[in-house]
Amino acid sequence: MGRDASLGQRLETILAETNYLDWLTASATNPQRAEQCVSNVRRLLALAQQFDPFQRQGVQRFLRFVEAQRAVTSREPVAGSGAAVQLISIHRSKGLE
C-alpha cells in the first residue's frame, strides 16, 4: 500500500482501520477538546489529500506544504494545549522515543 497509494489514501485507511477518530472522541474528558482533536486530524487528512498530486516530492515537501497552509490559515490549533496534530521530521524526533 505504501508504494501504490497516495498519502491521503494511506491516512484514510489508517484512520478507518484503527478507529482513531472514535478513540479520540471516547478518550477525551472534555467534549470540546475531543471535537477539536477530531477536527485537527481531519484537517491533517485534508492537507494530505491536497498534497497528493505532489507526493513524489517527499515528506520534507509535505511538511513545508503544511507550514505554508498554517501560515495562510488564521484558525490554528493551540499547540501548547496538546489539542494539535504536530508534524516533525525524523531528525527533530530524536530523543522522543
Side-chain angles (χ1 to χ4, degrees), residues 14-31 33-39 41-42 82-85:
I14 290 167
L15 292 173
E17 289 180 3
T18 62
N19 295 314
Y20 184 67
L21 296 177
D22 295 332
W23 178 83
L24 276 176
T25 303
S27 67
T29 56
N30 180 344
R33 179 171 159 73
E35 186 177 318
Q36 183 63 45
C37 290
V38 169
S39 176
V41 172
R42 287 192 175 139
V85 175

Side-chain angles (χ1 to χ4, degrees), residues 54-74:
F54 309 108
Q55 72 180 5
R56 296 265 185 230
Q57 297 180 21
V59 174
Q60 278 300 114
R61 171 80 170 140
F62 177 63
L63 293 175
R64 283 194 305 254
F65 176 77
V66 169
E67 285 297 320
Q69 292 299 314
R70 189 171 76 164
V72 170
T73 305
S74 62

